[in-house]
PDB file of all heavy atoms in Angstrom:
ATOM      1  N   THR A  53       6.616   8.406  44.872  1.00 90.00           N
ATOM      2  CA  THR A  53       8.003   8.148  44.449  1.00 90.00           C
ATOM      3  C   THR A  53       8.479   8.814  43.357  1.00 90.00           C
ATOM      4  O   THR A  53       9.619   9.322  43.087  1.00 90.00           O
ATOM      5  CB  THR A  53       8.121   6.591  44.162  1.00 90.00           C
ATOM      6  OG1 THR A  53       7.594   5.901  45.269  1.00 90.00           O
ATOM      7  CG2 THR A  53       9.553   6.178  44.002  1.00 90.00           C
ATOM      8  N   THR A  54       7.607   9.027  42.308  1.00 89.00           N
ATOM      9  CA  THR A  54       8.065   9.628  40.998  1.00 89.00           C
ATOM     10  C   THR A  54       7.828  11.176  41.031  1.00 89.00           C
ATOM     11  O   THR A  54       8.453  11.839  40.220  1.00 89.00           O
ATOM     12  CB  THR A  54       7.236   9.030  39.790  1.00 89.00           C
ATOM     13  OG1 THR A  54       5.850   9.254  39.966  1.00 89.00           O
ATOM     14  CG2 THR A  54       7.594   7.553  39.700  1.00 89.00           C
ATOM     15  N   LEU A  55       7.079  11.664  41.793  1.00 91.00           N
ATOM     16  CA  LEU A  55       6.737  13.099  41.784  1.00 91.00           C
ATOM     17  C   LEU A  55       7.902  14.036  41.947  1.00 91.00           C
ATOM     18  O   LEU A  55       8.030  14.938  41.126  1.00 91.00           O
ATOM     19  CB  LEU A  55       5.592  13.473  42.917  1.00 91.00           C
ATOM     20  CG  LEU A  55       5.080  14.891  42.798  1.00 91.00           C
ATOM     21  CD1 LEU A  55       4.546  15.280  41.550  1.00 91.00           C
ATOM     22  CD2 LEU A  55       4.091  15.071  43.987  1.00 91.00           C
ATOM     23  N   PRO A  56       8.762  13.882  42.868  1.00 91.00           N
ATOM     24  CA  PRO A  56       9.908  14.774  42.979  1.00 91.00           C
ATOM     25  C   PRO A  56      10.764  14.817  41.845  1.00 91.00           C
ATOM     26  O   PRO A  56      11.124  15.932  41.313  1.00 91.00           O
ATOM     27  CB  PRO A  56      10.746  14.233  44.188  1.00 91.00           C
ATOM     28  CG  PRO A  56       9.709  13.587  45.060  1.00 91.00           C
ATOM     29  CD  PRO A  56       8.679  12.827  43.993  1.00 91.00           C
ATOM     30  N   ALA A  57      11.060  13.734  41.180  1.00 91.00           N
ATOM     31  CA  ALA A  57      11.876  13.715  39.956  1.00 91.00           C
ATOM     32  C   ALA A  57      11.127  14.332  38.776  1.00 91.00           C
ATOM     33  O   ALA A  57      11.713  15.116  38.007  1.00 91.00           O
ATOM     34  CB  ALA A  57      12.360  12.223  39.629  1.00 91.00           C
ATOM     35  N   LEU A  58       9.873  14.015  38.694  1.00 92.00           N
ATOM     36  CA  LEU A  58       9.088  14.591  37.651  1.00 92.00           C
ATOM     37  C   LEU A  58       9.005  16.149  37.752  1.00 92.00           C
ATOM     38  O   LEU A  58       9.112  16.863  36.763  1.00 92.00           O
ATOM     39  CB  LEU A  58       7.679  14.012  37.646  1.00 92.00           C
ATOM     40  CG  LEU A  58       6.669  14.429  36.682  1.00 92.00           C
ATOM     41  CD1 LEU A  58       7.083  14.067  35.302  1.00 92.00           C
ATOM     42  CD2 LEU A  58       5.359  13.823  36.940  1.00 92.00           C
ATOM     43  N   VAL A  59       8.771  16.646  38.910  1.00 92.00           N
ATOM     44  CA  VAL A  59       8.766  18.124  39.207  1.00 92.00           C
ATOM     45  C   VAL A  59      10.028  18.791  38.764  1.00 92.00           C
ATOM     46  O   VAL A  59      10.114  19.740  37.977  1.00 92.00           O
ATOM     47  CB  VAL A  59       8.476  18.416  40.709  1.00 92.00           C
ATOM     48  CG1 VAL A  59       8.630  19.921  40.940  1.00 92.00           C
ATOM     49  CG2 VAL A  59       6.987  18.080  40.949  1.00 92.00           C
ATOM     50  N   TYR A  60      11.146  18.190  39.220  1.00 92.00           N
ATOM     51  CA  TYR A  60      12.458  18.815  38.793  1.00 92.00           C
ATOM     52  C   TYR A  60      12.836  18.724  37.322  1.00 92.00           C
ATOM     53  O   TYR A  60      13.342  19.618  36.706  1.00 92.00           O
ATOM     54  CB  TYR A  60      13.606  18.252  39.767  1.00 92.00           C
ATOM     55  CG  TYR A  60      13.664  18.927  41.062  1.00 92.00           C
ATOM     56  CD1 TYR A  60      13.073  18.369  42.201  1.00 92.00           C
ATOM     57  CD2 TYR A  60      14.331  20.252  41.182  1.00 92.00           C
ATOM     58  CE1 TYR A  60      13.061  19.003  43.373  1.00 92.00           C
ATOM     59  CE2 TYR A  60      14.357  20.886  42.389  1.00 92.00           C
ATOM     60  CZ  TYR A  60      13.705  20.249  43.523  1.00 92.00           C
ATOM     61  OH  TYR A  60      13.826  20.863  44.719  1.00 92.00           O
ATOM     62  N   THR A  61      12.360  17.582  36.725  1.00 92.00           N
ATOM     63  CA  THR A  61      12.595  17.450  35.293  1.00 92.00           C
ATOM     64  C   THR A  61      11.687  18.495  34.543  1.00 92.00           C
ATOM     65  O   THR A  61      12.324  19.172  33.580  1.00 92.00           O
ATOM     66  CB  THR A  61      12.164  15.993  34.884  1.00 92.00           C
ATOM     67  OG1 THR A  61      13.009  15.092  35.516  1.00 92.00           O
ATOM     68  CG2 THR A  61      12.426  15.916  33.372  1.00 92.00           C
ATOM     69  N   MET A  62      10.465  18.608  34.918  1.00 92.00           N
ATOM     70  CA  MET A  62       9.541  19.645  34.385  1.00 92.00           C
ATOM     71  C   MET A  62      10.122  21.146  34.573  1.00 92.00           C
ATOM     72  O   MET A  62      10.144  21.836  33.644  1.00 92.00           O
ATOM     73  CB  MET A  62       8.121  19.455  34.839  1.00 92.00           C
ATOM     74  CG  MET A  62       7.512  18.190  34.386  1.00 92.00           C
ATOM     75  SD  MET A  62       5.897  18.001  35.109  1.00 92.00           S
ATOM     76  CE  MET A  62       4.916  19.205  34.083  1.00 92.00           C
ATOM     77  N   MET A  63      10.685  21.345  35.739  1.00 91.00           N
ATOM     78  CA  MET A  63      11.238  22.653  36.081  1.00 91.00           C
ATOM     79  C   MET A  63      12.457  22.955  35.175  1.00 91.00           C
ATOM     80  O   MET A  63      12.528  24.026  34.598  1.00 91.00           O
ATOM     81  CB  MET A  63      11.538  22.781  37.455  1.00 91.00           C
ATOM     82  CG  MET A  63      10.232  22.957  38.366  1.00 91.00           C
ATOM     83  SD  MET A  63      10.381  23.528  39.940  1.00 91.00           S
ATOM     84  CE  MET A  63      11.517  24.987  39.777  1.00 91.00           C
ATOM     85  N   ARG A  64      13.281  22.012  34.926  1.00 92.00           N
ATOM     86  CA  ARG A  64      14.494  22.039  34.138  1.00 92.00           C
ATOM     87  C   ARG A  64      13.969  22.365  32.706  1.00 92.00           C
ATOM     88  O   ARG A  64      14.540  23.316  32.047  1.00 92.00           O
ATOM     89  CB  ARG A  64      15.311  20.931  34.250  1.00 92.00           C
ATOM     90  CG  ARG A  64      16.616  21.131  33.513  1.00 92.00           C
ATOM     91  CD  ARG A  64      17.572  19.887  33.676  1.00 92.00           C
ATOM     92  NE  ARG A  64      17.003  18.790  32.818  1.00 92.00           N
ATOM     93  CZ  ARG A  64      16.564  17.634  33.183  1.00 92.00           C
ATOM     94  NH1 ARG A  64      16.670  17.314  34.469  1.00 92.00           N
ATOM     95  NH2 ARG A  64      16.144  16.673  32.363  1.00 92.00           N
TER      96      ARG A  64
END
Side-chain angles (χ1 to χ4, degrees):
T53 307
T54 60
L55 183 60
L58 182 60
V59 167
Y60 277 98
T61 300
M62 290 176 76
M63 288 198 43
R64 187 179 71 243

